[in-house]
Amino acid sequence: MIKRSVYLYITFLLCQVIIISCCPSTKVFNFKLNTLTIKNADLTNEVLENGIVNKNNYRIKCIMDVNAIQIASFNANTIVSSAYAFTCDSDAYKGLESPIVKFEIKCSQSLFGIPANVPLDLNNFQVYKIGFNTDSKNIRYSVDDWLKILNEGKFNIAFEWYFECKKPITTEDNLQFYMTLELENGQIFQANTKPIKLQ
């Protein structure tokens, strides 16, 4: 009985070694931000300049062009916990190479009681990425949580997001939004939407 248990244990360890040795090395990446673009959107569809959008469906689509940069690589260990014996580690994403330290949104018209061209209270916005065709199923994040995802890197990191207003927009004037973010390394990225009319 003892010999059989020893043989089973040795066989199990050998299986772990063989399977883990077949795993590719795990790579760790971060991302260099190249450009920032924002566009008007109606739920998930982009809207052309001077288009008309229902106020309740208006979104700001935020697109970040990035380069993935490999910063580390780890070979799989041959002795691992039994919890991971039959899986390979996936690549890891550590967020932006230089974190965002300042973020602002401004509007060309007075909005939410804030005068035109003055930074808006970010608590008036929530952010999501498209994960489901049914919009209500997409997970909303606060702007602070969104910045944390970009800076630290998590399973839900992405570089195309939608900003929506939590409060109703009352103005029907043509308006534009302006977005500015500053990185820790001093780089500043600015973008603006085209004029749009909400109804």
Side-chain angles (χ1 to χ4, degrees):
M1 182 67 175
I2 294 175
K3 281 186 179 181
R4 186 174 179 184
S5 295
V6 170
Y7 286 138
L8 284 173
Y9 182 72
I10 290 172
T11 302
F12 178 73
L13 284 178
L14 284 173
C15 285
Q16 286 190 62
V17 170
I18 291 167
I19 291 170
I20 293 299
S21 66
C22 293
C23 287
S25 61
T26 299
K27 299 177 182 67
V28 181
F29 296 91
N30 64 18
F31 298 90
K32 182 182 186 301
L33 181 58
N34 299 317
T35 60
L36 172 71
T37 306
I38 59 174
K39 299 181 178 183
N40 297 307
D42 182 351
L43 291 178
T44 60
N45 301 310
E46 291 178 19
V47 178
L48 297 176
E49 183 174 357
N50 296 315
I52 299 175
V53 180
N54 181 297
K55 294 175 185 176
N56 297 324
N57 294 337
Y58 179 72
R59 309 287 191 265
I60 302 169
K61 183 178 182 180
C62 176
I63 305 156
M64 297 175 165
D65 175 59
V66 298
N67 287 344
I69 301 168
Q70 184 178 332
I71 56 174
S73 180
F74 301 99
N75 291 322
N77 292 322
T78 54
I79 299 175
V80 295
S81 138
S82 60
Y84 301 102
F86 297 102
T87 62
C88 296
D89 289 335
S90 59
D91 291 340
Y93 300 96
K94 295 295 184 186
L96 292 173
E97 174 188 46
S98 182
I100 299 169
V101 294
K102 185 177 180 182
F103 178 74
E104 291 180 345
I105 301 176
K106 298 177 184 178
C107 184
S108 62
Q109 303 290 338
S110 176
L111 192 64
F112 311 133
I114 306 294
N117 301 311
V118 172
L120 296 167
D121 182 347
L122 297 176
N123 290 320
N124 289 314
F125 296 93
Q126 53 191 8
V127 191
Y128 67 93
K129 64 179 179 176
I130 300 297
F132 298 96
N133 291 329
T134 305
D135 180 58
S136 60
K137 293 183 179 179
N138 292 313
I139 299 170
R140 267 59 177 178
Y141 299 94
S142 68
V143 174
D144 285 344
D145 287 341
W146 171 72
L147 291 170
K148 193 170 184 180
I149 290 168
L150 291 175
N151 286 340
E152 297 180 3
K154 295 182 179 292
F155 71 93
N156 48 3
I157 195 165
F159 298 99
E160 185 174 295
W161 297 85
Y162 290 84
F163 283 71
E164 66 181 344
C165 300
K166 292 163 69 174
K167 295 181 180 178
I169 297 176
T170 55
T171 182
E172 293 186 359
D173 296 331
N174 281 357
L175 51 78
Q176 287 180 274
F177 285 92
Y178 306 89
M179 199 175 278
T180 303
L181 61 83
E182 183 178 345
L183 304 184
E184 191 175 65
N185 65 10
Q187 279 187 291
I188 295 174
F189 292 85
Q190 295 179 313
N192 60 274
T193 61
K194 300 294 185 184
I196 191 120
K197 185 174 179 64
L198 303 183
Q199 66 178 14

